[in-house]
Amino acid sequence: KAGVTQTPRYLIKTRGQQVTLSCSPISGHRSVSWYQQTPGQGLQFLFEYFSETQRNKGNFPGRFSGRQFSNSRSEMNVSTLELGDSALYLCASSLGPGGGGTEAFFGQGTRLTVV
Amino acid sequence: QKEVEQDPGPLSVPEGAIVSLNCTYSNSAFQYFMWYRQYSRKGPELLMYTYSSGNKEDGRFTAQVDKSSKYISLFIRDSQPSDSATYLCAGYSGNTPLVFGKGTRLSVIA
């Protein structure tokens, strides 16, 4: 059974640009949650999608957005990139809504560097 | 105050030592308490979880939760170099996102 796939693995962008990250959940999983991981703040919740609907949103500015497609694949977009957006972006998939809890499986993440 | 507090370390121990990793939390709604292990350049993987208070053992790993003091612990017996990773504790209320501590970086020296 394939795991959670995140693409690309690494990205370098310039301040002011925008970026789109992709997450393909485990087959059959309908919930995708996104997290930002930095050394200073640790893992912080961005948003959760279940059946193409955003269920929860973390405390991030509107520059961070996401969506989920009918096949459960999810994308997140960051516009007008800032240096502070440099981080490891992780997605987690689970069967049902609520972020998965004990049944959340993480991808390997996308390492975004903003220069 | 963050909902889950965790000493970031780093923690360095000799092979074979007993390792104690700890977190405190403030959200009384948490029912599940998880420990994730994250190797360098990898995503977190669930190591074990406990429901409510009590202990849970899995091989060399023991997780403890004391809800009265809002304290979460992970013990690793006979630590191995392969245990070197960042360990993340998390709380979960059942219907809201996981809330993570910042993680403790552990190095087990052969």
Side-chain angles (χ1 to χ4, degrees), chain A residues 31-42:
Chain A
S31 173
V32 173
S33 298
W34 288 89
Y35 293 83
Q36 181 195 66
Q37 187 176 31
T38 60
Q41 298 299 319

Side-chain angles (χ1 to χ4, degrees), chain B residues 2-66:
Chain B
K2 285 182 70 72
E3 286 186 275
V4 180
E5 299 275 5
Q6 184 175 10
D7 186 339
L11 184 61
S12 185
V13 301
E15 182 177 357
I18 297 175
V19 176
S20 173
L21 304 168
N22 306 293
C23 296
T24 58
Y25 68 95
S26 59
N27 190 338
S28 298
F30 289 156
Q31 300 177 56
Y32 295 88
F33 302 89
M34 280 87 112
W35 284 96
Y36 285 81
R37 179 174 60 195
Q38 185 175 22
Y39 290 114
S40 181
R41 296 189 178 86
K42 301 285 189 183
E45 57 174 335
L46 182 64
L47 199 55
M48 56 195 305
Y49 72 90
T50 54
Y51 174 73
S52 193
S53 280
N55 294 0
K56 188 171 185 178
E57 190 172 319
D58 185 0
R60 297 183 295 109
F61 298 87
T62 300
Q64 284 185 354
V65 176
D66 182 345

Side-chain angles (χ1 to χ4, degrees), chain A residues 76-98:
Chain A
M76 68 163 281
N77 183 276
V78 188
S79 62
T80 319
L81 283 166
E82 300 176 0
L83 295 178
D85 297 332
S86 295
L88 181 66
Y89 290 88
L90 292 157
C91 81
S93 84
S94 57
L95 273 169

Side-chain angles (χ1 to χ4, degrees), chain A residues 9-10 35 37 39-45 48 55-56 88 90 97-109, chain B residues 2 8 32-34 36 38 40-46 49-50 86 88 92 94-103:
Chain A
R9 290 291 312 279
Y10 302 93
Y35 293 83
Q37 187 176 31
Q41 298 299 319
L43 265 156
Q44 293 187 283
F45 171 75
E48 181 211 347
R55 290 192 73 253
N56 283 300
L88 181 66
L90 292 157
T102 62
E103 298 174 349
F105 294 87
F106 282 85
Q108 296 199 69
Chain B
K2 285 182 70 72
Y32 295 88
F33 302 89
M34 280 87 112
Y36 285 81
Q38 185 175 22
S40 181
R41 296 189 178 86
K42 301 285 189 183
E45 57 174 335
L46 182 64
Y49 72 90
T50 54
T86 296
L88 301 148
Y92 179 59
N95 197 35
T96 52
L98 293 164
V99 180
F100 287 88
K102 289 188 179 181

